[in-house]
Amino acid sequence: MRHNLKYFDKMRCLRKRSAVSFLGVLVICLLLMNLYIEDSYVLEGDKQLIRETATHQLNPERYVHTFKDLSNFSGSINISYRYLAGTPLPRKRYLTIGLSSVKRKKGNYLLETIKSIFEQSSYEELKEIAVVVQLADFDSAWCEGMVQDISQKFAHHIIAGRLIVIHVPEEYYPVLDGLKRNYNDPEDRVKFRSKQNVDYAFLLNFCANLSDYYVMLEDDVRCSKNFLTTVKKVITSREGSYWVTLEFSKLGYIGKLYHSHDLPRLAHFLLMFYQEMPCDWLLIHFRGLLAQKEVIRFKPSLFQHMGYYSSYKGAENKLKDDDFEEESFDIPDNPPANLHTNMNVFENYEASKAYSSIDEYFWGKAPSTGDFYGIVFEKPIKITKIKVVTGTEDRQNDILHHGALEVGEKIIGSKKGRQCTTYLRLGEFKNGNFEMTDVEHKVLFSINCMRILVTKSQKEWLIIRSISIWTSQTSNQ
């Protein structure tokens, strides 16, 4: 078993090298599916066509646009879901949290996971979420027992329309025996991960119209306090930027956030390639096909794996996310803004990376007196707190040795070249960092701009690791 796991890990490392050829295969499959799939579920003959797809290599980038526009992938899969608890939602929510669970040989963490979701959410947050639990095991006795436990422990959430439990009958599943043994996986593992892909496809399909956003969790997860508020702040901070997947955990497919309008395509995608590879690998390919090349991951993580035994054969699974923080933490608002600098930027460490909520930074070559990093907010704001960190642990000398932070008003110029005419200096950087609270009591005007000003040339390069801004309210112009 241990040998198989090591081999499996090696194959994970090789996936990037084989991505181009695999994506070529995906493209052919997509074109075949465009011919054979209507707006209903994949027929048995169509599944056989997918399995027998040719292996000619094509340029995948040429077909990314085709994949985006396939109308066949915008409709839902025609499945009859059984409601085991709860009823259809009376109104659309902000976020749907999806869980799929099967009977485990050892341990059961589903009830604790549901409990953590609700306990770590405030009353106001509960109004904006829906939790959908799919009991995906074919053992009807186990499903009935789980429904009884869930209904007893979370009756008020079911009555309030926050919790739904569903099941998909076995007859809707594709063939799960005799599948291709990619990566030389044993047959039972291939069957397990292939069924898991179908489970998630059916769950995504069900959740497509329940909310604006969807986050994928496993059934053995612990949540951070007020995770919804943090998710909303991150989404707001990325307004105007393109993204397919935002990640709030570095483990598997825990904490992967999607626009709900992408769920039908993702459901079809998992269903088409259910036997090819594990779900987390397919999610990476889906993100790439929709032209998000880099991982966008938020730190600290909002979700932690808490299970000790895997749902696969009860094997030990001690994976933990060391970036997880359970207690509430002070997440900055970082309102939408245009970012610019006159410093010489190194490679692709552009200005936007210092203002991001994910783990990346701005890196500029040795700055001179008068150089700046500027932020022009889309709307005037009231700031309560500012924190700027420069340098990193491995480049501790690439800090701002002499600099000041200023805020500005009276904006002029076009949308692309806007700037403030008047600036107020709030203070100097100390040991490469700047932090100030109660800013709203020190600045009497609504702030349109903020800038980091270099007050003395330095020979060291400059890393701006993070810029964090907290606001009280948006001021009207």
Side-chain angles (χ1 to χ4, degrees), residues 13 36 54 59 79 81 84 105 212 281 285 312 316 326 347 376-377 382 437 444 456 474:
C13 296
Y36 288 93
N59 179 4
I79 300 172
Y81 294 88
L84 303 182
K105 291 189 175 182
D212 298 323
W281 295 12
H285 286 295
Y312 173 63
E316 288 188 6
E326 183 166 6
E347 293 186 351
V376 180
F377 301 108
K382 291 287 186 181
T437 58
L444 302 181
K456 185 178 179 180
T474 301

Side-chain angles (χ1 to χ4, degrees), residues 63-71 73 242 265 289-291:
Y63 294 96
V64 169
H65 185 70
T66 303
F67 178 74
K68 287 183 180 180
D69 289 342
L70 283 179
S71 60
F73 295 91
Y242 178 77
R265 279 188 292 190
L289 280 169
L290 292 189

Side-chain angles (χ1 to χ4, degrees), residues 219-231:
D219 63 349
D220 53 355
V221 168
R222 191 166 75 251
C223 304
S224 175
K225 188 76 173 176
N226 301 120
F227 64 88
L228 176 62
T229 297
T230 302
V231 168

